[in-house]
């Protein structure tokens, strides 16, 4: 399992970090762990699946 930080997810999805944090709060992206500062870390496969799904329904 490869983990991605909030900033990495934001860059991959083409959105701001605030949007990624909101996706996590709304349980649209589930974090798998927390970093040393308590920020969420996301599984790369989950992020890729979310992006594919979001694009299918009209955007992120």
């Amino acid at each position: 399992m490869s983990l991605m930080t909030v900033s990495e997810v934001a860059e991959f999805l083409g959105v701001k970090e605030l949007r990624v944090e909101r996706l996590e709060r709304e349980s649209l992206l589930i974090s798998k762990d927390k970093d040393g500062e308590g920020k969420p870390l996301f599984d790369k496969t989950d992020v890729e699946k979310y992006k594919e799904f979001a694009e299918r329904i009209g955007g992120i």
Side-chain angles (χ1 to χ4, degrees):
M1 172 172 58
S2 177
L3 295 176
M4 299 174 73
T5 64
V6 170
S7 61
E8 290 170 333
V9 173
E11 184 177 333
F12 180 77
L13 296 178
V15 298
K16 294 183 179 183
E17 291 182 23
L18 187 62
R19 174 74 174 135
V20 175
E21 292 167 354
R22 193 158 120 231
L23 290 170
E24 198 242 348
R25 276 195 312 274
E26 295 173 352
S27 299
L28 296 171
L29 266 178
I30 308 297
S31 63
K32 296 294 183 185
D33 205 350
K34 302 282 183 186
D35 67 11
E37 298 175 7
K39 294 186 179 188
L41 295 170
F42 302 92
D43 182 293
K44 184 176 182 179
T45 303
D46 291 346
V47 175
E48 290 167 345
K49 287 179 183 178
Y50 173 78
K51 183 177 184 178
E52 182 181 330
F53 173 75
E55 288 172 345
R56 284 185 185 178
I57 63 169
I60 297 171

